[in-house]
Amino acid sequence: MEESAESISIENAKHDRSAFSQLFQQYYTFLYRYLFKLTMNKEMTEDLLQETMIRAYINLPKFRYQSKFSTWLISIATRLYLDEQRKKTRDRKRQQQLTENEKRKIKWELEQGNMDWSLHLDLFASLSIETRTLILLRHYYGYSLEEISAMTKLRKGTVKSRIHYALKKLREEWSDEKR
């Protein structure tokens, strides 16, 4: 597509929704392919594609022809994807450990049911969700390392070492607390 024809199309799209719709259709496949290669996830690709086009529509008056329109769209899509990844990382970190409020709530609920929140549970709650899961599957539910490996898609050696080091950490902290 010629740059001058693209400029006219973009200028029209700045003032006309149907022209923007045509522009959207023109770049849809290009942007979809890029996002799919980036995310390797169809649903996420579609969500990011929609959000990219919404942002492009809102910010179209700010487009200054300093790059190709496709480059501008790619930069919007990339920033949205990276923001989403950062958000997921923050969410995962928050879920890794029980907050103090969550611990207090669990302790209160256990006390209401005449159960006791022990130091063991306190130490156990300090572990990451992934580590707690491995220990529960192995020592509470009795799954073999091979079964846990298949369930979690981790190598058997990884499962074994994570359980070992987590239990070692718990034993050390337990012995420190008893002193």
Side-chain angles (χ1 to χ4, degrees):
M1 179 178 170
E2 293 179 353
E3 193 65 36
S4 60
E6 183 180 84
S7 299
I8 294 167
S9 177
I10 294 169
E11 279 306 313
N12 291 340
K14 287 182 179 181
H15 306 290
D16 180 12
R17 284 186 179 171
S18 66
F20 182 80
S21 178
Q22 290 174 342
L23 199 60
F24 173 79
Q25 289 172 357
Q26 182 179 345
Y27 287 96
Y28 179 87
T29 304
F30 166 77
L31 198 54
Y32 183 91
R33 286 181 181 155
Y34 168 74
L35 285 167
F36 188 77
K37 289 173 188 170
L38 190 64
T39 67
M40 301 304 269
N41 178 298
K42 184 179 182 222
E43 291 81 23
M44 185 179 218
T45 295
E46 291 169 353
D47 290 346
L48 286 170
L49 181 61
Q50 286 181 353
E51 185 63 28
T52 299
M53 285 310 199
I54 289 169
R55 296 270 176 101
Y57 181 73
I58 291 169
N59 293 302
L60 195 57
K62 296 177 185 175
F63 181 67
R64 300 287 179 238
Y65 305 98
Q66 294 173 344
S67 64
K68 290 169 63 179
F69 186 70
S70 58
T71 305
W72 187 64
L73 286 175
I74 291 274
S75 68
I76 293 170
T78 303
R79 281 193 305 274
L80 288 170
Y81 173 73
L82 293 174
D83 288 347
E84 184 67 26
Q85 293 310 302
R86 285 186 206 105
K87 181 182 174 197
K88 283 183 179 180
T89 300
R90 281 192 309 269
D91 290 347
R92 264 187 249 120
K93 284 180 182 177
R94 278 189 211 123
Q95 290 176 352
Q96 290 296 314
Q97 306 247 337
L98 289 174
T99 65
E100 285 303 312
N101 287 337
E102 289 170 326
K103 283 183 190 178
R104 280 195 291 271
K105 181 181 177 190
I106 292 169
K107 286 179 185 180
W108 185 82
E109 288 172 355
L110 287 173
E111 288 171 2
Q112 297 307 307
N114 290 326
M115 294 199 250
D116 189 30
W117 176 276
S118 68
L119 178 60
H120 293 91
L121 285 176
D122 216 17
L123 293 173
F124 191 65
S126 70
L127 297 174
S128 71
I129 289 173
E130 289 145 352
T131 304
R132 285 197 310 264
T133 302
L134 296 175
I135 291 173
L136 283 173
L137 289 172
R138 178 73 174 145
H139 294 287
Y140 188 78
Y141 291 100
Y143 287 105
S144 69
L145 294 173
E146 292 81 10
E147 291 170 319
I148 297 170
S149 175
M151 285 182 226
T152 59
K153 295 187 178 17
L154 294 170
R155 291 191 332 245
K156 179 183 168 187
T158 302
V159 170
K160 187 176 180 179
S161 67
R162 287 185 183 174
I163 290 172
H164 171 77
Y165 287 114
L167 291 175
K168 183 179 176 183
K169 177 184 172 189
L170 287 174
R171 284 185 198 108
E172 288 170 359
E173 289 182 22
W174 173 250
S175 64
D176 289 346
E177 292 291 327
K178 289 173 70 176
R179 290 182 194 164

